[in-house]
Amino acid sequence: MNLPFARCIVILSLIAIHADAHAENATGLTATHLCCENRVDPLGIEDSRPRLSWQVESNERGQRQTAYHILVASTEAELKGDRGNLWDSGKIAGDPTAQIPYAGKPIGEQGVCFWKLKVWDKDNRESAWSATARWTMGLTGTHAWAARWISQTDSSPLPIDRKMLHLPPARYYRRDFAAAKPIRRATVYASALGLYELHLNGQRVSDHFLTPGWSDYLQRAYYNTFDVTALVHSGDNAIGAIVADGWYSGYVGYGLLVGYGPNKVGRCFYGKTPALLAQLEIEYADGSREIIASDPTWKVSDNGPIREADIIMGESFDAQREQPDWCKPGFKAEGWSNAIPAEDNGSTKAVFSDVTGDREVDLGFHLPKKMAAYSGPAVRITREIKAVGPTENKPGVFIYDLGENVAGVIRLKVKGAKGTKVQIRYGEMLHPDGRLMTENLRRARATDYYTLRGDPDGETWSPRFTYHGFQYVELTGLPDKPGIEAVTGLVMHSDTPLTSSFECSDPIANQLFKNIVRTQLANFIDIPTDCPQRDERLGWMGDAQTYVRTATYNADVEAFFTKWMDDVEESQRSFGAYPDYAPYPMAHGEARKSWGTAWTDAGIICPWTIWKVYDDTRLIERHYDSMKRFMEFRMATSPKNLGVSIGNPWGDWLSLGEITPVEFVDACFYAHSTKLMADMAGAIGREVDAKTYGKLLADITAAFNKEYVRPDGSLKIETQTAYVLALSMGLLPPKLIQPASDHLAEMIGKNGFRMATGFLGTKPLLPVLTATGHHDLAVRLFQSRRFPSWGYEVANGATSVWERWDSYTKEDAFGKHNAAMNSFSHYSFGAVCEWMFESLAGIDTDGPGFKHIVLRPGPPSIGSNPDNPPIDWVKAEYDSIHGKIISQWKRANGRFELNVTIPANTTATVYLPAAKGSNLKEGDRAIERNADIQIVGMEGGTVRLNIGSGTYR
Ligand code: BGC
């Protein structure tokens, strides 16, 4: 990188900051943030050798861990006595703090493990024991499920009419049970083909939504584990569950729109009738155990208040039918029927249609081949938003504005006469005349209904089995104008811990950052979806691979992607390709083309990225055979080592004005996947494979150069995306990198300093420009407010990232795309965020897991941007698996100042803009005289320093 701002005087001040040192931790290291399988105190772990991780903290510079000692015990009392009856690792020399496999005695099924550790610092000083953490083991293994899959007797015909919606009521299941003795522990394991919400003694068992998550239910069903010790008591109890269609038998994606699925009705992709599986394990104080499991003794009713419950279409609740005590002991289940074993509903044959043709399927119950503990973070409501409004443009139509485009549901609070039916519609935008815009939702009804029971004190309700992508909420059906309190926004998403913050001198960029994070959360709902509002919400692979690196900056997504990679592998086509989206209930695109270049490569790019960021080699091992099969497919379909166009031809999807041939794009992605596969093979010790893929990469590169590259560095494909892909994927020989990137910069200039790139070209565009000496141009594009740009969206009121550059334009408003597809919450173009962290704030790693950090702040040159004042300060933070990294730089009065923090047990290389002869300081001291810093090089206006952990100015 050739940062052209060497003219300014650089004062690098580095002062040890001890100000907030805690007295009790004046020296040495403390172990904190204990995690098991990437989660805090997880329940229901399946792996017999779960991986333990922690962070070490210190107030001293240059601190590192030199040894650790882990204790794992089966009771808290054992651990308190410093006895690890399951595992006492002894003192182990070394500095790793992440992904340490448990290596103690075999832990029985449902076992409880308490653990803690101590660490030794660089001077061999020993820490105190950490706080205690825990995990529990799941149900899989030798212990068979005692529970049976149960259903309601279902004699309804399979829907055949595409013109109307088929929205069955949710089913309520219950049974009473007595717990004879004092209880030590109670755990419940639950799953559904469909969605379930579990209750015990009148209370919801957890705050999770959309459980047990989406999977290919024929291959696996997830189960969740909850500790319900506090909810079960000696004496009479009741357990119950509400079960809805969910992804199993509800509407999925655009199935209805295009006529896919059984009878082409867009629903019942996996089966016709939802089923429940629940197993409560009670451990009494005297050591005896009792199991309360779903079986035909449970009662079931579909006469409850939830009259419709569909993820995409919405939910309908009739409060007049409420039976508040339905899950309390002693409830008279009058009119309820007996549940039946799910298989007793028999088979339901139907013709299933999608682009691969018509085939007969049986939509009766099929036992999932495998039960798997849910490995992702739970979907939760994490935030409430106060609405503004309502406006009443048309009598009786009340519209509320949340001020931001999110995904989730609302809490409705209304008062009125019994039987009043409120219709609740959701939209991302309003028409210019103030009407709710729903055209872009396509066939997603995205409407909820609430019928009042007529409580004089008012009534409150939230849907449970649906979610919407929305900013605006429209209420109709109320006789009087409701108050502001009638609508509260509830933001729902997979609860991935947030890990980033970003601010700089350009307010547009700051709003963009918020929009990116908001859009990420709106689309990380069990799987990475493309959009949360229309009839789609699928795990589109091209979007996921584009965005995964950004996702890792903004949240801890290791567990989230761990779950989804299983869905990806289970969706792999028999011939080796990864499909267009995962899970893959129906084939789309062109007939018999179930994959597309760059979409299919997500099966390689995502695990590679997770490994790089979290040092997670187990994810590689878990999917290695599948990834190899994918590479074999790629090799078999690319005999000339060049790209092919035999898949779905999305290519540089949603580019503006330039089309890059799909064969070219494919050659680049083939090379890219091969390179990443070679890296991953090396990372898990598959040296022979690493060599094979390395050789293949050389062959692809040679073929690519022969086919597309001219001796002067220009390409035979004259698009911005062609240059960006060739450069970012390392396909050009070193001597052609500069001419090619100069040519790219020229093309952008000739295009009026505007991008012409789509999903694939935009993500690497700014990184390529920065890496090849065109950082000022990258910053200029980043800060642009001209169409098409991120700034144009923000300047036009975006609170989320739009699907297309022209989702809205001043000239055409929404007119161009609303009829087809126009989402205002699509994360792919938000992938610029990785550049914001890596190249603007300058926070990156060159090895797995941020153990060695690269800090390369990227101020643009003074006066380099004729459109907008170039950014002159940035403050960014990122919580890596080793702890918080801070990069804060500013340029003012001829001085460049950098404040950095890197966590204990890491080191960093810092690249500073500084010409020869600059006055380089750490705090008040000349840098050369600082023992905490080594100057390792000076080239091209940049000084390279090595530092140990700590805070420096
Ligand atoms: C989705 C995209 C996806 C694409 C495939 C769209 O409908 O919303 O984000 O990648 O299809 O071209």
Side-chain angles (χ1 to χ4, degrees):
M1 184 172 48
N2 171 21
L3 294 174
F5 48 85
R7 271 162 293 131
C8 74
I9 300 171
V10 176
I11 301 178
L12 167 68
S13 317
L14 304 168
I15 312 172
I17 295 184
H18 295 286
D20 57 0
H22 301 295
E24 71 275 16
N25 182 30
T27 58
L29 289 177
T30 319
T32 61
H33 291 83
L34 276 62
C35 282
C36 173
E37 284 299 312
N38 329 313
R39 286 175 292 157
V40 177
D41 295 344
L43 304 180
I45 289 291
E46 238 165 40
D47 209 307
S48 57
R49 293 172 62 236
R51 294 159 301 169
L52 307 178
S53 304
W54 58 92
Q55 293 177 9
V56 286
E57 290 179 359
S58 171
N59 295 305
E60 297 174 344
R61 277 191 181 169
Q63 257 305 359
R64 62 200 158 77
Q65 171 188 297
T66 54
Y68 60 94
H69 181 177
I70 297 173
L71 293 182
V72 182
S74 57
T75 66
E76 231 170 340
E78 279 288 309
L79 196 71
K80 266 204 184 113
D82 298 339
R83 291 179 301 273
N85 64 342
L86 291 172
W87 186 30
D88 181 340
S89 74
K91 183 176 176 182
I92 299 178
D95 67 354
T97 59
Q99 321 285 12
I100 315 289
Y102 169 80
K105 290 186 193 149
I107 311 165
E109 203 169 35
Q110 302 182 67
V112 189
C113 304
F114 298 89
W115 71 287
K116 63 183 179 182
L117 81 154
K118 60 170 72 163
V119 293
W120 283 260
D121 76 354
K122 68 176 175 12
D123 303 314
N124 205 23
R125 284 175 301 184
E126 181 177 334
S127 75
W129 287 110
S130 70
T132 297
R134 70 171 189 158
W135 82 87
T136 69
M137 299 303 286
L139 246 202
T140 17
T142 47
H143 182 120
W145 282 77
R148 295 183 72 172
W149 286 98
I150 54 172
S151 283
Q152 185 192 24
T153 304
D154 180 3
S155 51
S156 65
L158 193 70
I160 45 167
D161 188 353
R162 246 178 95 191
K163 283 189 223 81
M164 59 184 284
L165 292 181
H166 303 275
L167 297 167
R171 291 80 168 173
Y172 287 68
Y173 290 84
R174 75 174 312 283
R175 74 157 274 191
D176 289 326
F177 66 94
K181 297 175 269 185
I183 294 159
R184 183 192 297 154
R185 183 161 80 112
T187 308
V188 67
Y189 306 89
S191 180
L193 301 177
L195 301 176
Y196 76 88
E197 187 187 281
L198 202 65
H199 290 241
L200 261 165
N201 294 325
Q203 283 188 49
R204 267 192 83 176
V205 155
S206 79
D207 58 358
H208 301 192
F209 285 85
L210 306 180
T211 46
W214 191 354
S215 57
D216 179 343
Y217 301 97
L218 301 179
Q219 300 199 52
R220 78 164 63 199
Y222 289 107
Y223 69 91
N224 310 97
T225 305
F226 302 108
D227 184 336
V228 289
T229 312
L231 294 178
V232 184
H233 35 254
S234 319
D236 291 340
N237 294 272
I239 183 169
I242 313 173
V243 176
D245 295 344
W247 295 283
Y248 177 77
S249 57
Y251 288 95
V252 173
Y254 34 60
L256 174 64
L257 178 78
V258 296
Y260 289 166
N263 296 340
K264 305 188 176 179
V265 290
R267 54 171 295 136
C268 299
F269 281 92
Y270 299 94
K272 174 167 173 262
T273 313
L276 170 73
L277 184 77
Q279 181 156 325
L280 170 66
E281 304 253 354
I282 303 174
E283 207 182 299
Y284 291 112
D286 64 6
S288 60
R289 300 175 81 92
E290 186 167 359
I291 294 178
I292 311 296
S294 51
D295 64 22
T297 65
W298 290 45
K299 295 282 182 193
V300 58
S301 165
D302 64 3
N303 270 321
I306 301 182
R307 307 311 305 150
E308 300 172 344
D310 188 83
I311 294 177
I312 288 186
M313 302 305 170
E315 196 160 319
S316 173
F317 191 91
D318 183 352
Q320 302 171 110
R321 290 169 174 259
E322 257 175 321
Q323 298 190 310
D325 295 336
W326 71 275
C327 190
K328 289 196 181 144
F331 173 78
K332 300 261 167 305
E334 277 158 21
W336 292 48
S337 40
N338 292 330
I340 57 166
E343 61 274 18
D344 284 6
N345 271 321
S347 84
T348 302
K349 297 256 167 67
V351 176
F352 186 110
S353 309
D354 62 13
V355 288
T356 52
D358 293 351
R359 54 202 176 270
E360 193 181 67
V361 291
D362 184 349
L363 300 168
F365 172 80
H366 295 278
L367 188 67
K369 283 196 195 115
K370 160 156 123 198
M371 294 303 297
Y374 190 73
S375 51
V379 175
R380 288 198 178 87
I381 287 170
T382 62
R383 194 160 65 89
E384 299 198 351
I385 306 173
K386 274 204 171 121
V388 171
T391 54
E392 189 181 3
N393 278 8
K394 204 176 147 200
V397 181
F398 304 104
I399 295 191
Y400 291 78
D401 180 2
L402 297 188
E404 49 183 305
N405 191 20
V406 296
V409 290
I410 62 155
R411 186 189 309 116
L412 180 76
K413 209 173 161 202
V414 284
K415 208 188 275 189
K418 183 174 160 69
T420 308
K421 189 167 181 180
V422 187
Q423 175 183 277
I424 310 157
R425 294 202 304 157
Y426 300 81
E428 297 185 286
M429 292 280 167
L430 297 183
H431 285 291
D433 61 4
R435 274 177 307 123
L436 188 75
M437 198 176 90
T438 55
E439 294 80 350
N440 68 325
L441 308 183
R442 282 193 322 216
R443 294 297 284 274
R445 185 187 72 176
T447 304
D448 299 328
Y449 294 94
Y450 180 77
T451 305
L452 277 69
R453 62 176 176 270
D455 190 330
D457 297 329
E459 38 206 289
T460 307
W461 174 74
S462 281
R464 300 161 149 103
F465 298 113
T466 189
Y467 71 91
H468 312 286
F470 66 107
Q471 171 168 345
Y472 299 95
V473 181
E474 180 202 84
L475 303 187
T476 49
L478 284 163
D480 303 312
K481 182 172 181 168
I484 179 109
E485 75 294 339
V487 169
T488 304
L490 305 178
V491 179
M492 189 193 279
H493 55 91
S494 286
D495 196 4
T496 52
L498 294 178
T499 49
S500 66
S501 72
F502 180 95
E503 263 185 292
C504 72
S505 57
D506 186 343
I508 287 266
N510 297 341
Q511 181 63 41
L512 173 68
F513 174 69
K514 288 187 191 149
N515 294 358
I516 291 170
V517 176
R518 185 175 295 123
T519 306
Q520 172 168 334
L521 296 184
N523 279 292
F524 278 29
I525 297 187
D526 184 63
I527 58 163
T529 65
D530 56 334
C531 56
Q533 72 299 87
R534 68 170 174 243
D535 53 350
E536 194 141 359
R537 313 180 193 190
L538 298 170
W540 278 101
M541 306 272 286
D543 309 42
Q545 64 83 9
T546 299
Y547 190 78
V548 59
R549 182 68 180 97
T550 288
T552 63
Y553 273 111
N554 290 329
D556 179 348
V557 294
E558 186 181 8
F560 180 79
F561 273 93
T562 298
K563 185 264 173 190
W564 187 60
M565 288 317 302
D566 283 336
D567 301 333
V568 170
E569 176 168 337
E570 283 178 356
S571 311
Q572 187 171 18
R573 306 289 81 205
S574 55
F575 51 91
Y578 293 112
D580 303 321
Y581 40 83
Y584 195 63
M586 56 193 158
H588 188 58
E590 293 184 12
R592 276 171 269 286
K593 294 183 176 179
S594 48
W595 63 281
T597 187
W599 273 248
T600 195
D601 298 284
I604 301 289
I605 297 169
C606 293
W608 182 89
T609 307
I610 297 301
W611 160 57
K612 275 288 180 190
V613 173
Y614 304 105
D615 197 7
D616 186 349
T617 45
R618 200 175 277 183
L619 191 69
I620 301 177
E621 277 156 0
R622 191 171 169 126
H623 299 291
Y624 193 76
D625 291 344
S626 154
M627 293 192 285
K628 254 186 109 157
R629 281 202 304 282
F630 168 74
M631 290 307 298
E632 277 151 23
F633 150 77
R634 265 225 165 271
M635 289 183 254
T637 48
S638 309
K640 293 186 184 151
N641 288 326
L642 272 174
V644 293
S645 68
I646 55 173
N648 279 309
W650 295 311
D652 190 25
W653 182 239
L654 304 187
S655 62
L656 263 192
E658 289 183 358
I659 305 240
T660 309
V662 74
E663 296 87 342
F664 180 95
V665 175
D666 194 60
C668 296
F669 274 87
Y670 182 24
H672 191 51
S673 280
T674 305
K675 151 104 186 40
L676 305 191
M677 195 61 189
D679 287 356
M680 288 192 281
I684 61 164
R686 305 276 195 125
E687 298 307 336
V688 176
D689 286 357
K691 267 202 193 122
T692 308
Y693 294 124
K695 160 88 175 57
L696 177 61
L697 176 62
D699 294 345
I700 301 170
T701 308
F704 176 88
N705 275 271
K706 204 165 155 219
E707 183 78 11
Y708 293 114
V709 186
R710 297 199 187 93
D712 65 353
S714 65
L715 300 179
K716 291 179 193 160
I717 307 295
E718 212 31 35
T719 63
Q720 293 179 16
T721 291
Y723 280 81
V724 173
L725 292 182
L727 284 159
S728 67
M729 292 172 177
L731 287 164
L732 300 183
K735 66 173 193 306
L736 295 186
I737 291 175
Q738 205 55 53
S741 63
D742 292 348
H743 187 82
L744 168 66
E746 238 170 70
M747 288 167 78
I748 295 170
K750 280 192 192 140
N751 196 38
F753 293 93
R754 290 164 209 262
M755 294 177 282
T757 46
F759 279 18
L760 305 183
T762 303
K763 174 199 124 110
L765 178 62
L766 304 197
V768 157
L769 290 173
T770 292
T772 56
H774 303 285
H775 184 61
D776 287 343
L777 175 58
V779 180
R780 183 173 176 181
L781 292 176
F782 176 64
Q783 289 190 264
S784 173
R785 278 82 159 139
R786 271 183 298 173
F787 177 80
S789 67
W790 298 278
Y792 181 82
E793 296 184 9
V794 174
N796 281 290
T799 62
S800 48
V801 179
W802 299 345
E803 177 170 23
R804 304 163 173 273
W805 292 122
D806 56 354
S807 280
Y808 166 89
T809 60
K810 282 188 183 138
E811 297 71 34
D812 299 310
F814 311 109
K816 263 194 173 160
H817 302 295
N818 254 1
M821 39 172 270
N822 200 13
S823 147
F824 293 88
S825 185
H826 237 76
Y827 50 61
S828 289
F829 284 126
V832 67
C833 197
E834 78 180 61
W835 173 88
M836 292 160 69
F837 279 92
E838 283 171 6
S839 302
L840 205 52
I843 299 176
D844 199 359
T845 179
D846 59 5
F850 282 86
K851 184 90 172 80
H852 181 255
I853 294 156
V854 178
L855 288 165
R856 197 195 295 251
S861 317
I862 292 168
S864 60
N865 189 342
D867 307 325
N868 295 291
I871 289 168
D872 60 8
W873 65 265
V874 170
K875 180 176 184 200
E877 299 187 358
Y878 167 60
D879 289 325
S880 73
I881 57 164
H882 287 104
K884 193 186 282 300
I885 301 167
I886 304 175
S887 169
Q888 181 176 11
W889 60 259
K890 71 172 178 228
R891 192 178 41 209
N893 309 322
R895 184 183 144 107
F896 179 79
E897 185 178 305
L898 174 69
N899 287 272
V900 293
T901 298
I902 62 163
N905 207 34
T906 67
T907 55
T909 301
V910 186
Y911 293 80
L912 283 167
K916 247 202 170 121
S918 297
N919 181 7
L920 280 169
K921 279 186 168 182
E922 178 213 13
D924 299 331
R925 258 188 304 168
I927 200 163
E928 296 82 0
R929 274 184 268 123
N930 192 303
D932 296 336
I933 297 169
Q934 289 94 50
I935 302 181
V936 283
M938 191 162 223
E939 65 269 326
T942 304
V943 177
R944 197 151 35 96
L945 314 170
N946 281 346
I947 59 171
S949 69
T951 294
Y952 303 83
R953 183 165 64 85

